[in-house]
Amino acid sequence: MVKSLEERTEKLLSKTEAMVLLCSKASSYWSMIKFAFNIPLVLTSSAMCIINSISEDANEVKIPNIVVNAISVLIMSLNNSIKASEKCDLFRRLGQQFLLLSGQIENDNEITDNDFNIIAIKYENLVNDCLFEDIPYRYKIQVAESFKDRYVPLQLNGTIGNNKRPNSFKGEIVISNNNIV
């Protein structure tokens, strides 16, 4: 059963729109994480300024300075290992690119097979750049629920439970020779 170009285009548009929403939610999540790490750093820097300005004798503030510095280093180390800033930027960039791609699909009055193939390759390249393992499960569920009656990216199929094979499936793979040049 070969789907028409219009059906394939509608399917790709639906998947692209789902990815826009998913990347937007992931970007917001990582932005919040980044913000959560920046607040303690600001507080520890402020505490250092206050501690150092209160006392005239450097020996009196030696231990508090060490403690506050250790806390700052710990927070920066955690932040660097989690890479919240990079993930926030990645998902924001991917969301914008998926949005541009969906606009391209919607605004083209006539999409040819060649145009569709180029757009599909762009979509696949963007999906390959997406770190699905860094997106919280709850956001995957929310997007899957929002697109319940539409097509979702393959990476979300297990999330909505439509990854089950019918009982009649025998594991056969059929390869068609129709498109061989």
Side-chain angles (χ1 to χ4, degrees), residues 78-96:
L78 287 172
N79 194 15
N80 287 336
S81 68
I82 292 174
K83 298 183 189 312
S85 290
E86 290 90 346
K87 291 174 185 176
C88 177
D89 294 339
L90 171 71
F91 287 117
R92 183 175 295 122
R93 182 183 52 80
L94 285 173
Q96 291 169 346

Side-chain angles (χ1 to χ4, degrees), residues 98-118:
F98 278 118
L99 186 61
L100 289 172
L101 194 59
S102 68
Q104 182 181 356
I105 296 168
E106 285 181 327
N107 295 329
D108 279 355
N109 293 333
E110 190 66 35
I111 294 180
T112 64
D113 276 327
N114 191 42
D115 293 337
F116 176 81
N117 290 337
I118 291 170

Side-chain angles (χ1 to χ4, degrees), residues 9-21:
T9 303
E10 187 62 36
K11 184 177 180 179
L12 185 60
L13 177 61
S14 177
K15 289 179 175 185
T16 304
E17 289 172 342
M19 288 302 297
V20 169
L21 182 58

